[in-house]
Amino acid sequence: MSQLENRIEQALKNAVVVALGEAQREADPMLRPAQNPRFGDYQANLAMGLAKQLGQKPRDLAQKIADALPNVPGGDSFQKVEVAGPGFINLTLTLDALNETGKAMLGDPHLLLSCVEEPRRVVVDYSSPNVAKEMHVGHLRSTIIGDAVSRVLSAKGHVVIRQNHLGDWGTQFGMLIENLLEQGTDLGSVRELTAIYQAAKKRFDAEPEFQERAKQRVVKLQGGDEETLKVWRQLVDQTIQYLDGEYKRMGVLLEPEDVCGESFYNPMLPGVVERLKAEGHLVENEGAQCVFPEGFKNKQGDPLPMIVQKRDGGYLYATTDLAAVLHRTQTLGATWLIYVIGLPQFQHVDMLKRVVTDYGWIGPNVTMQYVGFGSVLGTDGKLLRTRSGGSGTVKLSDLLDEAEEKAAAAVKEKNPDLDPERTQQIARAIGIGALKYADLSSDRVKDYVFDWDRMLAFNGNTAPYLVNAYVRTQSIFRKAKIEPSSLDLTALAVKEDAERALLLQLVRYAAAVESVAASLEPHRLCGYLYDVASAFHPFFEKCPVIKGDVAPEVRASRLALCELTARVLRQGLGLLGIQTVQQM
């Protein structure tokens, strides 16, 4: 909660004690923002629960609490307290309470967002593309959601360790390296590597002799053959360089040093299997070594195995993930492990969590959390595919190109006098921002429809709409020839309805970020920022700041309100990884 909401909660608890006695001090006020301005600013719904407990009518209890509220510490924050319906307590804040909170926000670079008292070391596992393959639309959500989650947790003071679990090991590298060595092909860009990979796969499927040589190449790779390792290292290095360019283009905070690929855990895998065996968990099943976490069954109702070693001695993703849990908790010292991966992977993460928990590999102080997400759909309701309508997935670079192209067209239409270089800079920020926001503004567990027209619209719940609100604040400062740093921020004193409605949204910033930190659901912050922008635009239209006959004190207050709006939008969008611009 924000400081303001904490104050409201404490006042309600004090009123409960006065009205009902000390025994009810810990009753949850069940405070929430009012959904309709007609019902005030906040609503407390505690009377219904207390009524069942105390055997009284909820409306009578609500009235007792409401009557006590003006006479307790913090009770002077309310302009109006009303009981409605079966026992809702509707609260309307005074202008003084709102203005004081707004001034406090302006005086704090973090906008009253406080850090947690006990920071945790958090590993966020996200993006996770593969070596020698271009990123595609399937990597979009993990990368964007993981980045937003990491930013929010960092803002709350947690120590965030980003981990890009790169797919840089496995049998496919035998096929790829063997083909490269035989063909004498120089390593080109990752886009060229994708074609080389496809050619190698075609040979692997069609040529038994090549298939056998590729399998032997895997053995050489695993055995440390220097010729093989040299090509493998080149593949990995080139892929990491490519990824770094894509991440920087997207404004994603993943660096090359955050890469911790599957190969990193190779030396640990025999120890994982040996530990499972020594602890008596390992079971042979059709020649493979497995564990059977409790509570998981297949379609036939039989216990579902987690295979950790194949019949031929090879290891699987599960083995690597077990090793990663040990590394992240024991070596990195993390107590919170977050996995940002698609919903189809839920069972795998759930089984992994059950194994390490039931076997005592992690303690009760360690949290493993699955941040799952749905798919990206085309306007036809099916998985997003290439423009040609084929079965191929859309490449991420193509999406980014198209985002910038379409944003550039929109910016030119809105402001044709901008020079080409500035237009391109703005187009990148707006296009990439629109792409991110369309993803993040949707509840992550749901599929969402990818629609350029909707996500680039300058109205509705879109990045351009929010950024345009920010641009309007900056245009006011430009026209007034005022630097925001020179403003008298203590002049904030809203009075008009449109001013009040805007400030009411702004003071909820910390609570909105807190909500995302607790739920790991970025769409909550998107919804909040949309409410801020939706409140700013009517203020902009109805409340002149520098035009007309505006009293000096009103002008000063409105300039401070514009600056607070700008900070909230800039910092809030920044937590989503979205860049603001000065003009559009």
Side-chain angles (χ1 to χ4, degrees):
M1 284 191 169
S2 65
Q3 289 184 13
L4 176 62
E5 289 169 352
N6 280 328
R7 193 164 78 214
I8 297 171
E9 269 212 347
Q10 194 56 54
L12 284 165
K13 287 185 175 184
N14 291 334
V16 167
V17 171
V18 171
L20 307 176
E22 185 67 33
Q24 306 305 324
R25 177 175 290 279
E26 297 307 315
D28 182 359
M30 298 182 67
L31 182 71
R32 64 195 62 185
Q35 297 299 307
N36 190 319
R38 293 191 297 113
F39 304 133
D41 302 327
Y42 286 90
Q43 190 175 77
N45 300 337
L46 73 167
M48 276 70 81
L50 285 173
K52 291 181 181 179
Q53 179 183 333
L54 300 176
Q56 299 184 35
K57 293 180 180 179
R59 189 175 175 90
D60 292 344
L61 280 179
Q63 193 62 59
K64 290 179 182 178
I65 297 168
D67 290 342
L69 198 53
N71 303 312
V72 301
D76 58 354
S77 298
F78 308 109
Q79 173 185 316
K80 185 191 301 182
V81 178
E82 291 181 325
V83 174
F88 303 121
I89 303 175
N90 294 337
L91 307 165
T92 302
L93 295 167
T94 65
L95 287 176
D96 284 346
L98 285 171
N99 284 320
E100 286 171 14
T101 306
K103 290 176 187 177
M105 289 178 70
L106 283 165
D108 178 10
H110 304 293
L111 302 174
L112 300 185
L113 178 66
S114 59
C115 290
V116 291
E117 293 181 1
E118 298 180 0
R120 301 178 73 177
R121 289 180 70 83
V122 189
V123 165
V124 184
D125 183 329
Y126 67 108
S127 199
S128 305
N130 295 305
V131 165
K133 291 184 180 179
E134 288 184 82
M135 292 178 76
H136 54 74
V137 69
H139 298 111
L140 184 68
R141 303 209 71 186
S142 176
T143 304
I144 291 173
I145 295 170
D147 189 54
V149 166
S150 298
R151 289 170 183 264
V152 169
L153 294 181
S154 293
K156 284 297 297 171
H158 295 291
V159 179
V160 175
I161 304 169
R162 295 167 171 81
Q163 293 282 272
N164 195 353
H165 195 77
L166 190 64
D168 65 352
W169 202 251
T171 56
Q172 71 272 25
F173 285 96
M175 173 188 76
L176 183 56
I177 294 170
E178 183 65 22
N179 190 59
L180 282 167
L181 288 172
E182 288 187 9
Q183 300 291 334
T185 306
D186 292 331
L187 295 181
S189 66
V190 170
R191 181 162 294 192
E192 291 166 340
L193 281 176
T194 301
I196 294 171
Y197 182 94
Q198 292 168 346
K201 182 67 169 67
K202 187 175 181 180
R203 288 190 67 191
F204 187 87
D205 293 338
E207 302 176 26
E209 298 85 358
F210 175 76
Q211 185 178 122
E212 183 57 35
R213 292 195 300 276
K215 290 179 180 178
Q216 291 303 313
R217 185 61 65 179
V218 174
V219 175
K220 290 181 179 180
L221 177 63
Q222 295 172 342
D225 175 70
E226 190 52 44
E227 180 188 38
T228 306
L229 281 174
K230 181 180 179 182
V231 179
W232 174 78
R233 290 191 193 101
Q234 291 174 338
L235 290 169
V236 173
D237 290 346
Q238 187 143 330
T239 301
I240 291 174
Q241 184 179 354
Y242 151 77
L243 293 173
D244 188 45
E246 294 293 87
Y247 292 140
K248 282 184 167 54
R249 183 181 181 188
M250 294 175 68
V252 169
L253 301 180
L254 270 175
E255 300 291 341
E257 54 266 30
D258 298 323
V259 170
C260 195
E262 295 170 6
S263 62
F264 175 82
Y265 301 102
N266 279 342
M268 309 174 198
L269 303 186
V272 168
V273 176
E274 284 302 314
R275 178 172 176 175
L276 290 169
K277 182 178 180 181
E279 293 176 356
H281 304 304
L282 215 55
V283 177
E284 185 174 318
N285 184 44
E286 297 182 3
Q289 300 299 316
C290 311
V291 292
F292 287 85
E294 187 177 347
F296 294 90
K297 298 184 182 298
N298 60 21
K299 293 180 180 178
Q300 289 72 41
D302 299 322
L304 186 66
M306 174 182 275
I307 304 173
V308 295
Q309 190 170 27
K310 296 186 291 185
R311 185 184 307 174
D312 61 6
Y315 302 105
L316 291 99
Y317 292 125
T319 330
T320 302
D321 287 337
L322 287 168
V325 170
L326 293 175
H327 172 70
R328 291 167 180 178
T329 54
Q330 296 177 4
T331 304
L332 299 180
T335 60
W336 191 358
L337 309 181
I338 296 173
Y339 296 82
V340 187
I341 50 180
L343 288 176
Q345 298 298 316
F346 170 74
Q347 186 180 70
H348 171 71
V349 176
D350 206 24
M351 292 178 76
L352 181 70
K353 180 179 178 180
R354 177 58 63 88
V355 167
V356 296
T357 302
D358 288 357
Y359 297 172
W361 289 22
I362 61 172
N365 65 316
V366 176
T367 304
M368 289 182 68
Q369 192 163 357
Y370 174 69
V371 176
F373 51 84
S375 300
V376 182
L377 308 179
T379 52
D380 58 359
K382 299 178 181 179
L383 288 176
L384 187 65
R385 299 296 185 185
T386 58
R387 288 183 185 177
S388 62
S391 59
T393 50
V394 179
K395 295 175 182 177
L396 182 58
S397 60
D398 291 343
L399 273 185
L400 301 182
D401 289 344
E402 191 167 2
E404 292 189 33
E405 290 169 8
K406 289 183 176 295
V411 171
K412 285 178 184 176
E413 182 178 348
K414 190 174 181 64
N415 194 344
D417 296 329
L418 278 177
D419 65 83
E421 183 178 353
R422 186 68 183 135
T423 297
Q424 190 55 47
Q425 291 173 348
I426 294 172
R428 170 162 289 192
I430 297 299
I432 303 299
L435 192 66
K436 288 183 174 184
Y437 191 86
D439 190 305
L440 295 171
S441 60
S442 170
D443 187 342
R444 59 173 168 75
V445 299
K446 298 179 180 178
D447 298 340
Y448 80 93
V449 175
F450 194 95
D451 183 346
W452 284 119
D453 291 340
R454 183 183 63 82
M455 67 176 64
L456 286 167
F458 282 89
N459 51 56
N461 190 12
T462 67
Y465 180 72
L466 270 61
V467 174
N468 193 43
Y470 177 81
V471 168
R472 281 183 155 185
T473 66
Q474 302 310 292
S475 70
I476 289 173
F477 297 135
R478 280 197 305 273
K479 289 175 182 177
K481 297 181 179 179
I482 291 176
E483 287 294 328
S485 59
S486 68
L487 293 174
D488 177 9
L489 301 179
T490 63
L492 183 67
V494 305
K495 294 179 181 179
E496 301 292 334
D497 288 347
E499 296 174 318
R500 187 188 189 284
L502 173 56
L503 185 55
L504 179 63
Q505 293 299 335
L506 294 171
V507 299
R508 292 172 176 167
Y509 171 76
V513 179
E514 296 276 3
S515 175
V516 178
S519 65
L520 305 186
E521 295 176 343
H523 76 273
R524 295 175 181 233
L525 181 54
C526 294
Y528 164 75
L529 294 173
Y530 174 62
D531 289 341
V532 169
S534 296
F536 176 77
H537 288 297
F539 159 77
F540 183 83
E541 300 295 339
K542 297 177 182 178
C543 300
V545 180
I546 56 176
K547 292 180 179 179
D549 186 18
V550 180
E553 65 275 13
V554 174
R555 181 175 187 265
S557 172
R558 289 176 180 173
L559 283 169
L561 186 59
C562 287
E563 172 60 5
L564 182 56
T565 302
R567 291 187 190 179
V568 166
L569 288 172
R570 183 172 62 247
Q571 292 190 31
L573 287 168
L575 291 177
L576 299 173
I578 296 173
Q579 181 185 350
T580 52
V581 295
Q582 297 298 307
Q583 60 184 132
M584 292 173 68

